[in-house]
Amino acid sequence: MTQKIIAFVDGSAYSASVCAHAAWIATRSGAPVELLHVLDRSASAEKQDLSGAIQLGARSTLLSHLADLDAERSKLLAEHGRAILDDGRAIVEQAGVTNVTTRLRQGDIVEAVADIETEARVILIGKRGEAADFAKGHLGSNMERIVRATKRPVLVASRAFRPILKVLVAWDGGASVRRAVDHLAGSEVFQGLAIHVVTVARDTSDARASLAEAEAVLSGAGIKTTTAIIDGQPETALSKLVETDGFDMLVMGAYGHSRIRNLIIGSTSSEMVRSCKVPVVLLR
């Protein structure tokens, strides 16, 4: 079975970017794209008990009207979801991708990830969701839940898509980032791109030897790779490097064993994803 590029779209300002990144992966890999919109059960079931102290006859009539309103609300939410999927399909197809499917389902987004994980080669989500508070820089609440729930690579899309030529890999030698490097080496998506592997640490022989392992894996796969050791706090040093050197994508392990570990799970990790203005690929 050909594994799909699964892209979650919710109609937020990030949905167009999610679709554009999915199209970019599809054009480089030839993999089909599936756009998925999940109707939250809590949204469709949201209602207020207005029947309180009303007499029996009137209550029956009111309950009947409330049931009709609830059914209409569910119908409208489904139509809204299909419209979001149609918009996403148009973006992907405009990029030249012809193998595009859409799926509308109801439930929890993490349950959806569990159901489709075996079909997915990569999962895409927006950095912020439909209800995100942009003033506070709030990340989408589902972002970390999905990263925790799946073993597939998760691409967290930035606000806008731009062509990806330079990729920064945050290396700490941990198991997660080793899987990330193996993924890059085995994927046609990253062939021909400039890969820069960096570790935030003191410049020691051990640090250089660890970096050399990553370089060997990528170079062995025919990927042009450079390495560097930089000092400082990972979240600030990496964010600054992305900006100053014009990287188009950041790749990290979702779990590490050094200072980078706390960047992914928890509040500090949110700060890392939030501070980078480029897509971030995370692997457990």
Side-chain angles (χ1 to χ4, degrees), residues 22-37:
W24 177 77
I25 297 173
T27 55
R28 296 185 66 85
S29 66
V33 175
E34 179 155 286
L35 304 177
L36 184 59
H37 179 70

Side-chain angles (χ1 to χ4, degrees), residues 57-254:
R59 179 183 295 185
S60 297
T61 302
L62 178 58
L63 289 176
S64 176
H65 288 321
L66 289 174
D68 291 342
L69 286 173
D70 195 42
E72 184 65 19
R73 176 182 171 79
S74 296
K75 180 181 176 182
L76 289 173
L77 286 172
E79 290 179 359
H80 181 238
R82 283 190 285 272
I84 290 171
L85 290 169
D86 288 343
D87 288 347
R89 177 197 286 271
I91 293 172
V92 177
E93 290 181 341
Q94 284 170 7
V97 180
T98 57
N99 195 349
V100 187
T101 56
T102 62
R103 191 188 307 188
L104 180 69
R105 60 173 288 164
Q106 189 175 49
D108 182 81
I109 195 168
V110 172
E111 293 175 0
V113 169
D115 288 345
I116 54 86
E117 186 175 32
T118 56
E119 306 172 30
R121 61 179 290 156
V122 59
I123 294 171
L124 288 83
I125 57 173
K127 182 187 290 187
R128 296 184 176 92
E130 186 178 18
D133 184 342
F134 286 88
K136 296 180 180 178
H138 180 65
L139 292 176
S141 60
N142 290 318
M143 188 271 292
E144 288 200 21
R145 296 179 67 217
I146 291 175
V147 172
R148 292 170 194 264
T150 181
K151 294 181 179 179
R152 302 299 185 197
V154 177
L155 187 153
V156 184
S158 50
R159 180 69 179 270
F161 174 80
R162 72 184 191 207
I164 296 167
L165 302 174
K166 296 176 62 177
V167 177
L168 178 66
V169 179
W171 172 267
D172 70 350
S176 294
V177 76
R178 288 178 183 276
R179 282 192 285 273
V181 166
D182 288 342
H183 172 73
L184 266 59
S187 173
E188 59 274 63
V189 172
F190 296 93
Q191 287 291 329
L193 303 183
I195 307 292
H196 187 59
V197 185
V198 65
T199 189
V200 184
R202 294 174 57 190
D203 190 349
T204 65
S205 58
D206 287 344
R208 289 194 293 273
S210 181
L211 270 179
E213 294 178 34
E215 183 179 18
V217 172
L218 294 168
S219 298
I223 297 176
K224 180 182 178 183
T225 307
T226 56
T227 63
I229 299 172
I230 60 175
D231 198 8
Q233 292 297 320
E235 61 268 43
T236 53
L238 292 171
S239 296
K240 182 179 179 181
L241 188 62
V242 167
E243 289 296 317
T244 58
D245 287 36
F247 286 100
D248 306 305
M249 175 181 283
L250 173 64
V251 178
M252 303 182 74

